[in-house]
Amino acid sequence: MNPLFLMSEEIATRDLSILGLFHHADIVVKCIILGLLAASVICWAMAFEKFVRVWILNREISKLEKSGQAAALPQARANSLIGAVGEAARTEWSEAASDASTGEVRDRLEVAMRAAVKRKLKSIEQGLPFLATLGSAAPFIGLFGTVWGIMNSFTAIAQQKDTSLAVVAPGIAEALFATAVGLAAAIPAVIFYNQITVALGRASERVMPAIVGIARTMSRRGLEGAN
């Protein structure tokens, strides 16, 4: 029997499930798909961690807002937002000159606490460039896999001298699978990046007025009221 006919029959009856497409894909396409899947898993894990930290951050900001008119900061862990703000305020107060005016002390406290807040926000922002990069690059990486797979499909057509759809379709499906994986990785990354960025921006806008109130209260009542 003609070996080209046997090859065409084998291609026509090939498994077209997701696992089948991956199994029969070219090694380059397989590497691209595995890389995109790994990046997607990292994306989801990172997004979950960021959303949890943003949720905790908003709870701490709510406590700071309530403390704006009070004389005491809530008790908190040293690595929390409240702990960082309190430590920055106490350190700045201890270094303030004894003859400094209330306004000068308040300004110094605000600067110190704002710096502590910015450091905390930056620690949460770590990893966001990865989401941005994945969201913009993943479709093109998947497209590269698609182009590579289609190139191999046309090479197979030339070798088999058979242009029937049953022969061409499996190879093209394998190639398009890479683009699908790229989009599946990019879309959540873009959504997560935008949501987290907006949430951090809103948190920054909420915490700054609270910092002003706390600095005003501490400068009037003294450090003892902040312990």
Side-chain angles (χ1 to χ4, degrees):
M1 186 174 293
N2 191 338
L4 292 178
F5 175 78
L6 291 176
M7 187 179 298
S8 299
E9 184 178 6
E10 179 185 354
I11 294 175
T13 58
R14 182 178 296 177
D15 181 14
L16 296 180
S17 65
I18 292 178
L19 292 178
L21 292 175
F22 176 79
H23 177 72
H24 293 287
D26 182 81
I27 184 62
V28 175
V29 179
K30 284 183 178 179
C31 291
I32 290 174
I33 292 175
L34 290 176
L36 289 172
L37 289 176
S40 181
V41 171
I42 296 173
C43 167
W44 282 88
M46 183 180 296
F48 177 77
E49 184 260 348
K50 297 300 180 187
F51 280 125
V52 170
R53 294 186 67 180
V54 169
W55 177 73
I56 296 174
L57 178 69
N58 285 324
R59 290 188 61 186
E60 293 182 324
I61 291 176
S62 297
K63 293 180 181 179
L64 284 176
E65 288 175 334
K66 295 178 182 178
S67 303
Q69 302 300 324
L73 286 170
Q75 296 295 326
R77 294 175 288 105
N79 62 346
S80 65
L81 174 65
I82 297 175
V85 168
E87 181 62 25
R90 285 186 286 269
T91 301
E92 189 62 33
W93 184 278
S94 64
E95 296 176 355
S98 58
D99 59 346
S101 65
T102 301
E104 292 174 343
V105 173
R106 183 181 66 247
D107 292 341
R108 292 184 60 174
L109 289 174
E110 282 188 32
V111 171
M113 288 188 288
R114 286 175 186 270
V117 170
K118 289 181 179 179
R119 287 193 296 269
K120 188 65 177 180
L121 292 177
K122 285 185 177 180
S123 70
I124 299 178
E125 291 174 353
Q126 291 180 356
L128 289 183
F130 172 79
L131 296 181
T133 302
L134 181 63
S136 59
F140 295 100
I141 297 174
L143 182 60
F144 172 75
T146 297
V147 172
W148 185 273
I150 291 178
M151 181 180 65
N152 289 336
S153 296
F154 280 107
T155 302
I157 291 174
Q159 291 175 349
Q160 298 175 32
K161 299 179 181 179
D162 188 351
T163 59
S164 65
L165 186 61
V167 174
V168 179
I172 295 179
E174 295 164 6
L176 292 175
F177 182 45
T179 296
V181 175
L183 292 175
I187 293 173
V190 172
I191 295 174
F192 293 151
Y193 176 82
N194 290 335
Q195 291 294 323
I196 295 170
T197 302
V198 171
L200 289 176
R202 291 175 177 173
S204 178
E205 292 178 356
R206 284 182 58 199
V207 73
M208 292 310 171
I211 292 298
V212 173
I214 294 171
R216 183 185 301 113
T217 300
M218 289 181 63
S219 62
R220 289 177 180 175
R221 302 187 183 183
L223 178 59
E224 292 78 10
N227 291 331

